[in-house]
Amino acid sequence: FLAATLTLGACGGGGGGGGSGGPPPSSGLSDSSDPRVARLGKLLERADTLRMSGLHARWSLSATGGETIEDTFPLTVSCTGARCVAADGIATTVRDLLDPSANIDPDTFEEPDLGTRGGFYTVMTSGDIEPETLPDLSVSVSPTVTGYGFWGDHGYAALALSRGTITAEIDGTSFSGDFSMVQAYVAGDAAGSNPSGTGSATWTGIAEASPADTNERLMGTARVTIADLSRPRVGVVIEVPGHAIGAPGWADMGLANGRFTSGTAGRDYLGGAFHGPGHEEAWGVFDTADHVGVFGARRME
């Protein structure tokens, strides 16, 4: 199910190559001649970095006769280079995003809505994933996934919101109910080095976020700063009207090989990197007890 959720987010972003389980031709995305989509395809083909938030899932199950089970959990995801592995051992890579294996129902896959926002190309799409039974468990989920993606020259970000039904058999009792999950990721070509020079530098851009417990899309802005390029420390500010998103550690992060990070996933985490040969862009994810999201920003002249 993790892979299914991630790949629909990638399909929503206009991924490159389309494997056997990719978006149907009628989506007009995988085979689109739109220059915005072509740019994204080339970006993902050369991407060497993938970073993901944790997965925040919730479900409520009821049995015939009245017993109810409700639970929430954040699932830790760790990434190295272009590969990420969840705590349950399921792995995904940038190449997986280019060759999706999710079984997406072509009758429900909506035509992608391409646009622009804050200097980035954007896309929104939605579709149902065929019911899937989790390995070694008597649990089946049937989610609808909506993806909100955006990209520049050196990075792509997506927020995936899943909602649907879940059935389970526990100790011989059948349960059914509702399921939801929030997850986010970024991919691109990381600079691999720190911005250098004298004076300060600022990157401005946009953010996509969701409360970890409501599956609601929130649109915001992002600002990345380095006050002194000769001794670089990174500050990131995410602003979403009506929501307080951030942690004290985000204001002063160490920088190594163009990457910065602070906090613990599911509590106060933010991780990102500068992208492009001239550090033209900054991309990252955040994952707190209250919000999950992504950001991208371009360097100001």
Side-chain angles (χ1 to χ4, degrees):
F1 178 66
L2 165 61
T5 301
L6 297 178
T7 47
L8 184 56
C11 295
S20 60
S26 61
S27 72
L29 191 56
S30 62
D31 58 355
S32 174
S33 61
D34 190 304
R36 296 169 293 182
V37 175
R39 173 184 291 187
L40 176 59
K42 293 178 180 179
L43 186 163
L44 291 177
E45 286 172 1
R46 68 173 188 269
D48 58 11
T49 298
L50 179 62
R51 185 181 296 268
M52 296 184 178
S53 71
L55 293 93
H56 291 253
R58 303 172 62 89
W59 63 75
S60 177
L61 292 169
S62 297
T64 303
E67 183 181 0
T68 299
I69 299 175
E70 294 184 342
D71 200 3
T72 65
F73 71 91
L75 184 63
T76 302
V77 179
S78 60
C79 301
T80 302
R83 183 174 187 268
C84 294
V85 181
D88 59 2
I90 297 177
T92 191
T93 69
V94 172
R95 295 297 167 259
D96 294 330
L97 303 183
L98 288 172
D99 186 19
S101 59
N103 189 11
I104 300 169
D105 183 349
D107 293 331
T108 65
F109 191 87
E110 295 183 3
E111 189 72 18
D113 182 9
L114 291 163
T116 59
R117 175 171 150 238
F120 294 89
Y121 296 128
T122 64
V123 68
M124 187 279 287
T125 194
S126 181
D128 292 347
I129 294 176
E130 298 289 352
E132 181 175 350
T133 300
L134 302 184
D136 304 321
L137 294 174
S138 298
V139 179
S140 178
V141 291
S142 302
T144 296
V145 183
T146 303
Y148 301 94
F150 61 95
W151 64 99
D153 294 321
H154 302 284
Y156 169 68
L159 174 72
L161 304 180
S162 307
R163 186 180 295 276
T165 59
I166 180 171
T167 61
E169 184 171 326
I170 303 173
D171 295 331
T173 301
S174 296
F175 290 82
S176 62
D178 300 318
F179 171 89
S180 66
M181 187 168 72
V182 180
Q183 202 259 340
Y185 69 91
V186 297
D189 52 335
S193 62
N194 297 342
S196 60
T198 59
S200 62
T202 301
W203 293 254
T204 61
I206 62 175
E208 292 281 353
S210 174
D213 60 350
T214 65
N215 231 237
E216 171 192 4
R217 181 200 185 189
L218 305 173
M219 293 184 290
T221 61
R223 184 179 182 87
V224 180
T225 57
I226 296 178
D228 184 354
L229 287 167
S230 66
R231 302 179 63 183
R233 305 284 293 183
V234 180
V236 176
V237 175
I238 305 296
E239 293 187 341
V240 175
H243 295 262
I245 302 177
W250 298 7
D252 185 36
M253 290 176 279
L255 184 61
N257 300 318
R259 294 175 169 81
F260 48 90
T261 185
S262 177
T264 303
R267 184 181 305 168
D268 56 358
Y269 176 78
L270 183 142
F274 293 101
H275 287 213
H279 310 94
E280 298 99 321
E281 297 173 356
W283 295 84
V285 303
F286 49 91
D287 177 9
T288 74
D290 300 315
H291 296 88
V292 175
V294 290
F295 65 90
R298 295 182 183 274
R299 190 167 183 170
M300 300 177 63
E301 298 295 336

